[in-house]
Amino acid sequence: MNTEHIKITDIVAEENDLARAASILREGGLVVFPTETVYGLGGDATRDEAAKKIYAAKGRPSDNPLIIHIANPADAEAYAVTNELYYRLAKAFMPGPLTVILPRKETIPTSTTGGLDSVAVRCPAHPVAHKLIELCGFPIAAPSANLSGKPSPTSAAHVAQDMDGRVDMIIDGGESEIGLESTIVKIADDGLILLRPGGITCDALSLVCDNVTVADAVLHQLAENERPLSPGMKYRHYAPTAPLVLLSGNDADVLAYIQQETAARKCAVLCYNEEFDALNNCILFPIGQKNDLASQAHKLFAALRDADGTDAEIIYAHLPPQSGLGLALYNRLIRAAAHTIKKV
Ligand code: AMP
Ligand code: MG
């Protein structure tokens, strides 16, 4: 398939290009578009064939459901059974990096929801995403626009590495601001269950709902045959070719350990900016200051992709804290590392 590449910097001046993207989606085609979390691989969420094409383009197992993207929180009414807590979350966090799982209405086929009776709903804040959904007039089903098993793409160049020739169009809208996928919550009888941490933190959710619990699989490896609350939890997701090892310990000990390891083999390191000068003879990917979790989130996936593109035999990163935005970094990194943590 020939993939058309377009760049949108001004949604008013370039509305014709976006209208063309919408018509591709209307005809059942696939369009990759930018969002504030990561790039999304979009298809018409109300059409069976579009969901099937998305799974094929990604090489994703078809029991891993897709998030549907809507232009305005109230549009969820047509596709899901909403409730009072949904609207409280919407008022606080939409548009933005929050996905809410709700009971599905018949307007969304089970091929989009991986066979489930629930549907994941998100209202993205990125102006290109918002305008595209508005022009379509139907929700866009979109998983991250990477091949299954690769890090989610946060730039059009990374999308092209995975999706060129597999989709009808790729829209370049610049780097994804947040850089990690949306926070996913499920509304339970007595509160919220956090299924995937992201840009909306537990502390922020707690301002809207007193009872927020973190699903086990966010922090721990699922036991064999354990059924996750969210199908995506059972997949490894991002897998660098070289093993990724997370180092836990005080910063000086971590640095000393890496320095000792570089004598034995070629190492790539996702380091803090302030460590750059102290580390020698290894391939460095500074992802932000130690206390700048937003920068670390923004740069994480690009750094993992780039580290994977080197000839390093092993990749090291700091084990992030489990609080605030750190929880989202922790969750992505422990999965990319297949839970390999080394205490130094
Ligand atoms: P991605 O599209 O790559 O951001 O991944 C979407 C994530 O949302 C996957 O991990 C899914 O398991 C999860 N998800 C989507 N729909 C549902 C649902 N109805 N119930 C639970 N989890 C869902
Ligand atoms: Mg994904």
Side-chain angles (χ1 to χ4, degrees):
M1 171 189 305
N2 188 26
T3 301
E4 186 182 353
H5 295 256
I6 67 167
K7 193 177 171 92
I8 303 278
T9 48
D10 180 334
I11 58 164
V12 177
E14 290 154 318
E15 186 167 336
N16 283 346
D17 286 335
L18 276 180
R20 209 148 36 82
S23 75
I24 292 172
L25 289 164
R26 200 166 296 119
E27 284 157 23
L30 300 183
V31 174
V32 174
F33 61 99
T35 85
E36 72 277 22
T37 58
V38 300
Y39 273 74
L41 165 51
D44 181 346
T46 65
R47 283 167 68 157
D48 231 20
E49 327 82 78
K52 287 183 183 138
K53 278 195 199 170
I54 290 173
Y55 289 121
K58 263 183 85 75
R60 176 176 182 146
S62 60
D63 70 341
N64 194 354
L66 308 174
I67 294 171
I68 72 163
H69 295 72
I70 54 177
N72 303 293
D75 296 347
E77 291 301 334
Y79 312 105
V81 182
T82 63
N83 56 29
E84 187 262 332
L85 182 49
Y86 168 77
Y87 280 103
R88 266 195 285 149
L89 290 167
K91 184 157 188 258
F93 306 118
M94 293 184 192
L98 180 70
T99 297
V100 183
I101 312 283
L102 295 166
R104 174 181 66 89
K105 285 189 179 166
E106 292 290 310
T107 41
I108 299 297
T110 50
S111 46
T112 296
T113 65
L116 298 175
D117 282 332
S118 55
V119 60
V121 177
R122 175 161 120 76
C123 181
H126 195 293
V128 171
H130 182 265
K131 186 74 195 172
L132 181 63
I133 303 163
E134 214 173 50
L135 288 169
C136 284
F138 49 77
I140 302 179
S144 49
N146 52 286
L147 286 173
S148 211
K150 293 278 181 196
S152 297
T154 53
S155 70
H158 287 166
V159 170
Q161 285 175 3
D162 285 9
M163 288 297 152
D164 205 16
R166 304 177 78 92
V167 296
D168 298 286
M169 180 185 266
I170 296 173
I171 304 174
D172 181 350
E175 277 185 22
S176 305
E177 190 185 332
I178 296 172
L180 298 179
E181 306 88 343
S182 59
T183 298
I184 303 182
V185 291
K186 191 178 178 95
I187 298 186
D189 292 341
D190 54 350
L192 288 176
I193 305 171
L194 181 75
L195 300 182
R196 179 172 74 185
I200 305 295
T201 62
C202 272
D203 293 342
L205 291 168
S206 299
L207 298 175
V208 176
C209 176
D210 302 332
N211 186 10
V212 181
T213 52
V214 178
D216 249 12
V218 167
L219 293 169
H220 308 288
Q221 200 158 16
L222 284 170
E224 209 143 312
N225 299 327
E226 195 178 340
R227 199 163 158 263
L229 288 169
S230 173
M233 289 170 163
K234 67 176 184 253
Y235 299 108
R236 185 167 156 202
H237 241 238
Y238 341 101
T241 315
L244 170 66
V245 175
L246 305 180
L247 299 174
S248 122
N250 75 52
D251 293 342
D253 290 345
V254 167
L255 280 188
Y257 177 81
I258 296 171
Q259 217 48 94
Q260 169 200 319
E261 279 297 288
T262 57
R265 49 190 162 165
K266 193 153 209 175
C267 305
V269 185
L270 275 54
C271 65
Y272 301 138
N273 293 357
E274 56 270 40
E275 294 173 329
F276 192 83
D277 290 335
L279 286 165
N280 300 307
N281 304 321
C282 47
I283 311 165
L284 295 176
F285 297 94
I287 57 171
Q289 301 278 342
K290 180 184 168 78
N291 62 7
D292 189 351
L293 295 172
S295 165
Q296 293 171 39
H298 176 73
K299 293 194 171 145
L300 177 70
F301 286 143
L304 278 176
R305 235 174 227 267
D306 291 344
D308 210 15
T310 68
D311 58 352
E313 293 160 68
I314 191 160
I315 305 171
Y316 289 113
H318 289 274
L319 184 70
Q322 293 177 21
S323 53
L325 190 56
L327 184 65
L329 281 159
Y330 182 96
N331 169 263
R332 304 313 190 275
L333 275 167
I334 52 168
R335 298 178 73 198
H339 295 262
T340 314
I341 299 172
K342 174 146 187 70
K343 288 201 169 56
V344 298

